[in-house]
Amino acid sequence: MPRNTTKAPSAALTAPHPAPLTSLLNGQHTVWHAALTHHFPHAPSSFLDALYRMFLHPEHSSSWILRADILYDSQNPTAASPTSHTDPTPAEPYADVDISVPGFTATRTLVRRFAPRNPQRDAEATQTAVFLSATDPDPAAGIRELVVLLAHERAAEDVPYYLPCVAATAFLLSPAAVSTSTVSTSPISSASLSNAETPAADTPASAANYTITLLYAPFPTAPITPRLSRTALHLLTRASKLAHGVETGYTKRVYHDLLVAREVFQTRYVAMRARHAPRLVAGWREKTDPGKHVFEDILIAAFLCCLWEDMYGSAKEGWVGFVDIGCGNGVLVDILVREGWTGRGFDARERKSWSGFEEGTRAVLEERILVPWLLPGESDTPDPENTTTGTGAWLHDGRFPAGTFIISNHADELTPWTPLLAAASNCSFLAIPCCSHDLSGARKRFPPPKPLGGETGDLRNVNASRSTYASLCAYVERLAREVGWVVEREVLRIPSTRNMGILGRRRRRVQGQGEGGEGGEEGGEEDVAALVEEVVRREGGGVGWRRNAEALRKGEVKGH
């Protein structure tokens, strides 16, 4: 028999619906429709924690949603999202959106505004969440909790596609064996909304005695559809998964937005995507997928623009320019130049896409081979004429004006050189490693990262994995620290598993340069150059680099 592809709830999970729920919703008597009821083998505090997390991060439940900005929280009325300082929305709940449920009292009210992933297709929406606890006087009956999500739209046609087309959605936690008309308990502490708890005093004899019900309050002209039933299953599954994580002590392994606030970055990205994506995708000339590379480079460009504005300010005080070494298709350079940041990029081979850019971008894209002056036997005198090698490609010696911001985005062979060249030229850098190479340009798998010991600063996103990529990132970070960089990490929001950003923008003293800690002054430029040369020598001296670099011009260029 053919396999049934219709996703349905398991019989082991479903449970009988509780007694009907009625309320006064926006002044109107409402009978709620129970869409789905599941067994809930978790504590009531875990239910509240899970629903609070779902409210904060709706993007985890729908790919159509970019994020939610919290506009109001009754427990902290003065707090708001980082973008709300320019938001005209008053910091108080909307008076014309309210609910009253017999037997329940409100313990917390929040208001959020949805930012859709594609604002050109979907409109923003605002929603109020009310957390309610039962007020029945019988504590032996068990705890009941209710979380109601109130739409601010008053007609079905005004509700964006990414939200359920109903006036309100509710999550009801109730004891499985007790009717909702007889269950009562004292309200649970509101502190449990933000603090994970394990089953304790608020758990009945068996946590499985609870059920969770998804209810809808439909619009008069919009019936309950199969899509709403699927949504109910998805939301209940999500709530159960989060509650399980609360009780098992789940902790995040990856932290985003450590260097640039999420709201600031995403707002910039959406605007830049609208400006650049249509023309870049339409004019794509490479064999690779524009659906990946175009949007990945826009994301990286948005991150850099936000980072640079934080470093240099809106007046760009101290800005010298950027250089993208191993710039590949040149898309990142094109976007940054169009966004008003002066700079250039070069690669061992010109790409087809270069000729499709406007004149301002074509003028700053160059075909060059980088042969670091730090290599033994290479000239220690800058070559202002940029003489050519025997292959016909322009030669670059890896010296840059002090203050230049160096970018190596999946630059492969140039990745481990990035912090060394940056230190020698007194430049900041961002390296996004991809393929693993040593200083000679040869492929190499580095030893797995060692357990943390003595490292200071923000240790989030320190990858303790033994993968090839984690080993490469650890190697690049070690080189950076050895030549005096204070290493900062950011797991970038890009469509790639090679998404670790390693940032160097602050210097510290290193062994052999006297006393001093993080952020202290170094010795002179000669001391730094000598230190970098010593690291290069210890790492094998980069023997074979020139040969491997010139070989990049032979055969087909891979990747982007």
Side-chain angles (χ1 to χ4, degrees):
M1 295 180 62
R3 197 172 93 180
N4 183 3
T5 57
T6 302
K7 189 174 183 180
S10 168
L13 295 176
T14 55
H17 293 316
L21 182 71
T22 61
S23 70
L24 281 177
L25 178 59
N26 297 327
Q28 301 293 322
H29 178 75
T30 302
V31 178
W32 291 72
H33 170 80
L36 186 63
T37 299
H38 271 189
H39 290 291
F40 190 76
H42 307 289
S45 58
S46 301
F47 165 82
L48 291 171
D49 201 317
L51 267 294
Y52 179 66
R53 296 184 187 192
M54 289 177 67
F55 185 82
L56 291 181
H57 297 286
E59 69 275 11
H60 296 165
S61 300
S62 172
S63 60
W64 292 60
I65 299 173
L66 185 64
R67 69 172 187 276
D69 295 328
I70 305 303
L71 306 180
Y72 173 80
D73 183 351
S74 61
Q75 290 190 355
N76 191 4
T78 61
S81 297
T83 56
S84 63
H85 62 281
T86 58
D87 196 320
T89 304
E92 59 183 20
Y94 288 74
D96 58 343
V97 179
D98 63 87
I99 185 169
S100 175
V101 183
F104 287 83
T105 184
T107 60
R108 188 174 192 177
T109 301
L110 302 102
V111 180
R112 65 180 173 181
R113 181 180 57 219
F114 295 98
R117 190 167 294 276
N118 187 350
Q120 295 176 309
R121 177 189 60 199
D122 301 309
E124 292 183 343
T126 308
Q127 189 180 72
T128 293
V130 182
F131 287 74
L132 306 103
S133 292
T135 56
D136 299 299
D138 183 8
I143 293 174
R144 285 187 302 160
E145 301 291 345
L146 180 66
V147 179
V148 181
L149 306 178
L150 303 169
H152 287 210
E153 294 79 15
R154 293 305 176 89
E157 56 269 21
D158 296 331
V159 178
Y161 178 79
Y162 54 82
L163 294 179
C165 189
V166 291
T169 303
F171 297 81
L172 174 65
L173 179 77
S174 56
V178 183
S179 167
T180 57
S181 62
T182 60
V183 177
S184 63
T185 185
S186 57
I188 192 168
S189 169
S190 59
S192 64
L193 293 176
S194 57
N195 300 321
E197 300 176 10
T198 55
D202 62 346
T203 308
S206 170
N209 285 340
Y210 282 103
T211 61
I212 181 174
T213 302
L214 196 289
L215 305 106
Y216 292 124
F219 288 108
T221 59
I224 301 298
T225 63
R227 179 179 173 231
L228 288 173
S229 299
R230 294 192 298 270
T231 300
L233 174 60
H234 175 71
L235 292 176
L236 291 191
T237 301
R238 178 71 183 161
S240 296
K241 180 178 179 180
L242 288 175
H244 176 75
V246 168
E247 296 184 350
T248 56
Y250 170 79
T251 56
K252 292 183 65 174
R253 292 179 296 173
V254 174
Y255 292 86
H256 294 283
D257 316 309
L258 299 181
L259 304 180
V260 176
R262 179 184 66 157
E263 294 81 1
V264 174
F265 163 73
Q266 289 182 335
T267 300
R268 174 63 64 88
Y269 166 67
V270 169
M272 291 176 61
R273 182 183 63 189
R275 283 197 294 270
H276 302 292
R279 65 174 179 83
L280 290 172
V281 171
W284 191 250
R285 302 186 179 191
E286 307 293 339
K287 294 181 179 179
T288 50
D289 179 17
K292 175 184 185 298
H293 293 293
V294 167
F295 294 98
E296 180 176 315
D297 284 339
I298 296 175
L299 284 160
I300 295 172
F303 172 79
L304 284 170
C305 288
C306 295
L307 177 70
W308 291 342
E309 287 178 358
D310 179 63
M311 293 174 62
Y312 304 103
S314 57
K316 301 182 181 179
E317 183 177 355
W319 174 255
V320 174
F322 73 86
V323 58
D324 187 354
I325 58 176
C327 65
N329 56 41
V331 169
L332 181 58
V333 174
D334 177 66
I335 297 170
L336 293 174
V337 169
R338 283 173 173 260
E339 289 294 316
W341 297 94
T342 56
R344 58 196 177 98
F346 62 84
D347 203 285
R349 289 186 61 180
E350 181 179 348
R351 301 298 200 271
K352 296 177 182 178
S353 55
W354 292 11
S355 61
F357 295 132
E358 64 178 12
E359 176 58 32
T361 300
R362 293 199 304 270
V364 297
L365 290 174
E366 302 169 311
E367 187 180 46
R368 294 193 179 189
I369 290 176
L370 193 153
V371 179
W373 64 276
L374 298 163
L375 288 171
E378 296 297 333
S379 172
D380 60 358
T381 303
D383 182 5
E385 300 300 325
N386 291 317
T387 56
T388 61
T389 67
T391 64
W394 291 102
L395 173 66
H396 196 292
D397 64 5
R399 298 177 195 256
F400 304 101
T404 301
F405 193 99
I406 301 175
I407 305 168
S408 67
N409 171 26
H410 293 183
D412 295 347
E413 291 86 353
L414 290 172
T415 299
W417 279 103
T418 304
L420 307 181
L421 296 173
S425 293
N426 193 23
C427 300
S428 300
F429 74 91
L430 174 69
I432 308 173
C434 184
C435 299
S436 189
H437 296 79
D438 61 17
L439 294 183
S440 72
R443 286 186 175 271
K444 180 177 180 179
R445 175 162 184 166
F446 298 98
K450 296 180 180 180
L452 295 178
E455 187 175 353
T456 60
D458 192 341
L459 301 184
R460 289 176 293 181
N461 293 333
V462 175
N463 199 335
S465 167
R466 300 178 66 86
S467 69
T468 300
Y469 187 65
S471 301
L472 170 62
C473 291
Y475 175 69
V476 175
E477 291 176 18
R478 176 173 67 81
L479 293 180
R481 286 193 296 270
E482 288 179 351
V483 296
W485 289 111
V486 176
V487 174
E488 298 176 85
R489 309 171 191 85
E490 180 72 277
V491 178
L492 300 172
R493 294 179 178 271
I494 60 176
S496 172
T497 56
R498 305 293 195 263
N499 60 349
M500 177 61 78
I502 301 172
L503 176 67
R505 54 177 168 172
R506 291 184 294 128
R507 306 282 296 161
R508 62 177 175 81
R509 288 188 183 275
V510 293
Q511 187 175 1
Q513 291 183 316
E515 298 297 326
E518 184 174 300
E521 294 296 328
E522 293 184 301
E525 294 182 7
E526 294 182 357
D527 293 337
V528 176
L531 176 63
V532 174
E533 289 177 332
E534 171 58 25
V535 172
V536 171
R537 185 198 62 77
R538 193 190 65 239
E539 295 297 321
V543 176
W545 170 265
R546 179 187 283 269
R547 180 180 65 254
N548 289 329
E550 293 181 353
L552 292 175
R553 305 197 72 249
K554 301 176 182 178
E556 183 177 357
V557 176
K558 298 180 180 180
H560 71 291

